[in-house]
Amino acid sequence: MAAFPDVDKIVYEGPQSKNPLAYRWYNEDEVIEGKTMKEHLRFSVVYWHTFRGTGSDPFGAATMVRPWDDGSNSVENACKRVRVTFEFLEKLGAPFYAFHDRDVAPEGKTVAESNKNLDAVVKVLKEEQERTGIKLLWGTANLFSNPRFMHGAATSPNADAFAFAAAQVKKCLEVTKELGGVNYVFWGGREGYQTLYNTNMKRELDHLGRFLHMAVDYAKEIGFTGQFLIEPKPKEPTKHQYDSDAAACLNFLRSYDLLDSFKLNLETNHATLAGHEMMHELEYAGMQGALGSIDANTGDLLLGWDTDQFPTNIYLTAQCMLSILKYGGLAPGGVNFDAKVRRESFEPVDLFHAHVGGMDAFARGLKIAAAIREENELDHFIHHRYRSWDEGIGAEIESGKADFKTLEAYALKKGEISPNESGRQEMLENIINHYI
Ligand code: XLS
Ligand code: NI
Ligand code: NI
């Protein structure tokens, strides 16, 4: 029996359509800058929010109505949920999905039991992937829900927690490989600390470096060729998360000689929690060749935590797509909706409204970004703004010919710098508005 009997396959109807369950912008075969929208955007649905989110919060119980789910933690229920997930993905037309090990299969009482449960569900996931052609964007291990990880996993003061985390990631790598996953994500979870009164930060970071090296080695050993990704996040659950933003992650990877094996999975709401715009994080990673994938969502500045809302703001999606196009796209990464419906949006159809809106917002952002790039006004402006570096003293500095002594001589001779020019921010903001 269908879980969504009232929803047909969502199709592209164009900007004039008033049908809320149709795409107005996402036309998967439309070619932009030489690639189809489907290839550019590589949309992915997350298992945890979309199929495991209950709507509970610290003030109230679950609100979501999910008639297919019996609410139990049985493997049978988990397998039934897989069929529903793939009905949803097919009707939506999303080519990818992503999961944590513990979203798809119930955790058992022992490592062996957990692995057995996972194997049973992975069998169904594989069947459904083969039936539909839908692929796994990434797998990840949940190293934060079980109370054994209360002080962290790889960074726990308890070495047993590290060992159990390693066992879990080992298994999760095996199933991600089995399912043909094209990436594997490490989000730090509880890797961080609340107070230095009880924390040896250096030792914890050394352990995290060791852990990730073991993961790289094991991936090689089993022939897993997916891209490894680290997902920065600055706070929640701990006050000081070690992977706080793109810069912190890249510094960590460089310090522990892991830079060649990892890229970043950047999430919009995490960027804003870190006090950055998403575009800053994309640029920072992109300029260092570390832009891997994105968790597409948005926060709410008036709330100030990781609210994981669906992105609908086309300024935001256009900015994301500007950076993504600039750095040559995300593949093998994708646009992964790490986003959840509000607890008041409790009906199954709300899952469709949410994803259709997010996909359309990104499709529109892609079109806007491509139009901006075609006219090239921003690039021209930036290029012109830096022209003092193209010749004369600027070129001498960039090429390493100048030193403090030659620059002092230059300054003494010149008397005062060439006049500064306006940054023209307001004009540039107005130019962007021409395209929106
Ligand atoms: C939590 C993270 C998480 C990762 C996967 O804030 O966004 O959902 O994407 O572990
Ligand atoms: Ni995320
Ligand atoms: Ni998040």
Side-chain angles (χ1 to χ4, degrees), residues 46-57 61-66 68-69 81 103 339-343 345-346 351:
V46 303
Y47 213 96
W48 53 100
H49 287 314
T50 299
F51 291 99
R52 303 311 310 277
T54 64
S56 68
D57 73 7
T63 57
M64 296 299 157
V65 173
R66 303 289 183 249
W68 57 83
D69 201 305
R81 211 183 274 126
D103 312 326
K340 61 185 175 203
V341 290
R342 301 301 88 192
R343 79 193 289 273
S345 308
F346 57 86
L351 296 173

Side-chain angles (χ1 to χ4, degrees), residues 23-296:
Y23 295 117
R24 299 169 65 225
W25 302 95
Y26 182 56
N27 181 10
E28 61 174 32
D29 297 321
E30 186 175 332
V31 174
I32 290 170
E33 295 196 13
K35 277 195 281 186
T36 64
M37 278 197 174
K38 189 175 176 182
E39 289 167 324
H40 275 291
L41 295 164
R42 299 169 61 81
F43 285 128
S44 165
V45 171
V46 303
Y47 213 96
W48 53 100
H49 287 314
T50 299
F51 291 99
R52 303 311 310 277
T54 64
S56 68
D57 73 7
F59 306 97
T63 57
M64 296 299 157
V65 173
R66 303 289 183 249
W68 57 83
D69 201 305
D70 67 16
S72 79
N73 225 0
S74 72
V75 172
E76 195 197 343
N77 191 32
C79 292
K80 229 191 302 160
R81 211 183 274 126
V82 172
R83 310 279 184 204
V84 174
T85 301
F86 279 79
E87 180 192 334
F88 179 80
L89 292 166
E90 262 194 303
K91 286 186 168 168
L92 191 67
F96 293 99
Y97 72 109
F99 66 67
H100 298 88
D101 48 1
R102 302 303 182 235
D103 312 326
V104 285
E107 180 154 22
K109 286 206 184 64
T110 61
V111 174
E113 200 187 312
S114 298
N115 288 355
K116 195 171 135 238
N117 292 349
L118 190 53
D119 285 336
V121 180
V122 163
K123 220 178 118 230
V124 187
L125 287 167
K126 203 170 176 185
E127 260 173 48
E128 288 293 298
Q129 284 188 203
E130 277 161 12
R131 183 181 67 76
T132 59
I134 290 162
K135 295 196 174 76
L136 179 61
L137 186 71
W138 46 265
T140 189
N142 176 331
L143 304 178
F144 44 90
S145 294
N146 191 301
R148 76 169 65 101
F149 298 127
M150 64 168 72
H151 299 299
T155 66
S156 173
N158 182 345
D160 273 357
F162 184 110
F164 274 59
Q168 207 179 314
V169 170
K170 174 179 177 289
K171 179 68 183 172
C172 197
L173 279 170
E174 290 162 10
V175 305
T176 301
K177 178 183 186 248
E178 163 95 12
L179 293 170
V182 285
N183 301 272
Y184 185 91
V185 164
F186 293 84
W187 167 56
R190 296 183 192 275
E191 314 293 24
Y193 68 92
Q194 308 285 20
T195 172
L196 283 174
Y197 292 161
N198 64 15
T199 301
N200 183 336
M201 177 152 57
K202 169 78 165 66
R203 210 161 175 186
E204 293 199 355
L205 285 167
D206 286 351
H207 295 162
L208 185 57
R210 177 108 315 280
F211 191 86
L212 295 179
H213 271 288
M214 289 183 193
V216 170
D217 291 345
Y218 190 64
K220 265 197 204 117
E221 192 177 326
I222 62 172
F224 174 68
T225 53
Q227 174 67 51
F228 273 2
L229 300 167
I230 294 216
E231 181 175 325
K233 182 175 181 179
K235 48 192 162 193
E236 194 205 66
T238 74
K239 181 154 86 169
H240 296 280
Q241 294 283 121
Y242 290 134
D243 299 333
S244 55
D245 63 2
C249 286
L250 289 170
N251 180 56
F252 170 82
L253 292 169
R254 194 168 281 126
S255 309
Y256 288 91
D257 197 20
L258 287 158
L259 209 49
D260 291 343
S261 307
F262 285 82
K263 289 189 175 179
L264 301 182
N265 179 41
L266 299 168
E267 177 167 323
T268 320
N269 205 164
H270 298 178
T272 48
L273 286 175
H276 300 305
E277 288 182 335
M278 179 61 161
M279 210 180 181
H280 167 86
E281 291 289 85
L282 289 164
E283 275 297 314
Y284 197 88
M287 74 186 185
Q288 305 199 46
L291 176 54
S293 196
I294 68 168
D295 272 7

